[in-house]
Amino acid sequence: MTVEAELIAKYAQGVLDFSGLNLAESNFSSINLSGINLSHANLSVANLSGTNFSKANLSDAQLNVARLSGANLSDAILNRASLNVANLMRADLSRAQLCEASLVRGELVRADLTRANLSDANLSGADLREATLRQVNLRRANLSEANLRGCFLREANLEMANLHGTELGACDLSGANLRNTELRQANLCLVNLTGADLRGANLRWVDLRGANLRSVDLSGAKLSGANLTGADLTNANLTNTSFVHANLTQAKLIKVEWTGADLSGATLTGAKLYGTPRFGLKTESIVCEWVDLSSMGDRSIIQNFTPDEAKEFFNATPPTLRIIVESPLDHEANFVLAGTYYQIAQEYPALIQPPSLEISNRRTILTFRIENDLALLPIAFMAILPFQDATITKKNIYAMADMIRAEVIRQQDLKSIKIVRQLIILLAEAMRKAKIIEQTKKNLEVAQKLNFFKAPTQTILTNSTANNLTIYDNSNSNKRLMSNLHSKNDISNESYPLPDLNMIVDFIKGFYYIGQ
């Protein structure tokens, strides 16, 4: 009786333990051996095509050059097994345990490895084209120079894996964990990485042309020399990411967060940058002939640059609003301030981000980071609402709007006219919302009873070209304040001369224009 026949006979009698057997070059094709124990067995060059090894124990087994095409290895244990150059085409390895297994140059085309555990496994040079690896664990696995083209790797764990030079073209890696993964010189052309975590990953010289990187987290990642031509990075986190000499030609960078990103020597010609901040970047020797600022990335709003203009564009100052209150913030006022701004934000979402606070013994500085220049005056109009100085501050904003509208029309400056037209629309909306808030929100009434909100204020704007404009400055001294706080005098009626008209117009002309 052959070794194969003897094993099959004993298996039929209920014997499952065949660990350590030498079954090299044996033939168990299409046999049912589910649950069998072949740990430490030698099955090298064996014909196991179509064999049912579900829930089998093949840990530490030798399966080099074995034929396992179409085999059922679901829930099997193959930890530390050696499957080098094995044929596993269309094999079912779902939920299999392959920790520290060796599959060097293994053939796994269209294999199913759903939820399999391949942590620390060696798959260098393996062929995994169109394989299914949904929620697979490849943590610290070696996939260098492997072929995973067209693989389904949704929600896979590839943390700290080695994918140096790996073929990943057209893969679905949406929601995958690739933190600190080695991806140097990998091909990720047309890959889907939507929502993937690539924090700290090494993507130097990778090919990401046409890739879907929407909402991806690439903070701290290294993409020096990477090719991202036409890639979609909408809503991506690129904080402190390195794009040194990267090619971002016509990349979609709409509403990305990239403070601290290094774009030195990068090419951004044709990049789509709607709603993307332009400050806190390193842009030495940047190459950018034009950008697309349309909300849909449809080239309806194009901004052309000279080299100097491009440098200026990518080195903008973050627009900010500062309200300086001549009183320290106490706990009660802080509670009311937070509640008031919360209520305002419900009606006016542009104020959704609370201010940063700087508190000293004598004053409190509220700093609002503004998304774009055009929102400066409207948000100032809303942010001052809790304070007694709101009345005069709003009057000054009204007056400034009227002054600049008349002046730019007189100057026939078409660009400034378009900016002011948009500004007036946004201010009108802020004024409408302010009336609703003043009529319906009780938080403002509470604020007006506290001394903190009666204190003198200054409202100062800074635009993206670093120009400052003081809208209102209540020049009352602290000594005068203390006497007025307990009197019937209304310090909000104190007048404050408007800035010089030329100063206001220069400030508005310093806005970065994003309209048509």
Side-chain angles (χ1 to χ4, degrees), residues 306-361:
T306 64
D308 288 341
E309 288 171 341
K311 183 178 180 181
E312 182 179 343
F313 176 85
F314 287 103
N315 281 278
T317 300
T320 55
L321 157 66
R322 284 183 298 148
I323 298 177
I324 302 171
V325 186
E326 295 298 331
S327 175
L329 184 69
D330 58 27
H331 288 296
E332 183 180 16
N334 188 34
F335 177 78
V336 173
L337 183 70
T340 304
Y341 280 147
Y342 173 78
Q343 293 294 334
I344 292 172
Q346 301 310 296
E347 286 288 342
Y348 191 72
L351 197 68
I352 196 67
Q353 185 175 350
S356 61
L357 298 174
E358 182 182 337
I359 306 168
S360 67
N361 292 332

Side-chain angles (χ1 to χ4, degrees), residues 34-36 52-59 71-79 91-98 112-117:
S34 61
I36 195 170
N52 183 2
F53 280 120
S54 62
K55 299 182 180 179
N57 184 356
L58 290 154
S59 56
N72 182 0
L73 290 148
S74 59
D75 297 294
I77 301 171
L78 291 130
N79 295 328
D92 183 357
L93 288 147
S94 55
R95 301 175 302 282
Q97 298 294 314
L98 290 139
D112 184 359
L113 291 111
T114 301
R115 298 176 65 186
N117 188 353

Side-chain angles (χ1 to χ4, degrees), residues 224-237:
S224 301
N227 188 348
L228 292 120
T229 301
D232 186 352
L233 291 113
T234 302
N235 292 315
N237 182 0

Side-chain angles (χ1 to χ4, degrees), residues 243-435:
F243 288 104
V244 176
H245 294 292
N247 188 350
L248 288 150
T249 300
Q250 297 189 37
K252 202 170 186 178
L253 293 157
I254 293 175
K255 295 184 179 179
V256 302
E257 174 57 55
W258 58 355
T259 303
D262 190 347
L263 293 154
S264 303
T267 301
L268 281 99
T269 297
K272 306 174 193 303
L273 291 167
Y274 176 80
T276 297
R278 296 172 289 109
F279 38 83
L281 303 171
K282 297 178 182 178
T283 58
E284 185 178 354
S285 302
I286 197 168
V287 177
C288 187
E289 296 176 4
W290 60 276
V291 293
D292 181 353
L293 297 170
S294 59
S295 60
M296 302 300 293
D298 57 8
R299 301 194 186 187
S300 58
I301 306 174
I302 296 295
Q303 176 71 57
N304 295 303
F305 299 121
T306 64
D308 288 341
E309 288 171 341
K311 183 178 180 181
E312 182 179 343
F313 176 85
F314 287 103
N315 281 278
T317 300
T320 55
L321 157 66
R322 284 183 298 148
I323 298 177
I324 302 171
V325 186
E326 295 298 331
S327 175
L329 184 69
D330 58 27
H331 288 296
E332 183 180 16
N334 188 34
F335 177 78
V336 173
L337 183 70
T340 304
Y341 280 147
Y342 173 78
Q343 293 294 334
I344 292 172
Q346 301 310 296
E347 286 288 342
Y348 191 72
L351 197 68
I352 196 67
Q353 185 175 350
S356 61
L357 298 174
E358 182 182 337
I359 306 168
S360 67
N361 292 332
R362 297 182 59 184
R363 61 173 53 175
T364 303
I365 302 175
L366 285 65
T367 303
F368 295 83
R369 178 174 162 178
I370 312 299
E371 185 175 339
N372 60 68
D373 289 321
L374 283 169
L376 281 166
L377 283 166
I379 288 180
F381 193 93
M382 304 300 292
I384 197 64
L385 286 179
F387 297 91
Q388 187 166 293
D389 280 346
T391 302
I392 188 64
T393 304
K394 290 191 296 179
K395 284 180 181 178
N396 282 6
I397 293 173
Y398 293 143
M400 287 181 187
D402 287 339
M403 289 166 63
I404 57 177
R405 177 166 51 185
E407 181 62 16
V408 298
I409 290 173
R410 187 189 68 78
Q411 293 181 4
Q412 292 294 300
D413 184 337
L414 293 180
K415 177 181 174 182
S416 297
I417 289 171
K418 291 177 181 179
I419 292 173
V420 172
R421 185 180 297 152
Q422 291 187 41
L423 179 59
I424 297 299
I425 292 170
L426 294 173
L427 268 175
E429 177 65 9
M431 292 172 187
R432 188 179 70 83
K433 292 290 187 180
K435 286 181 181 178

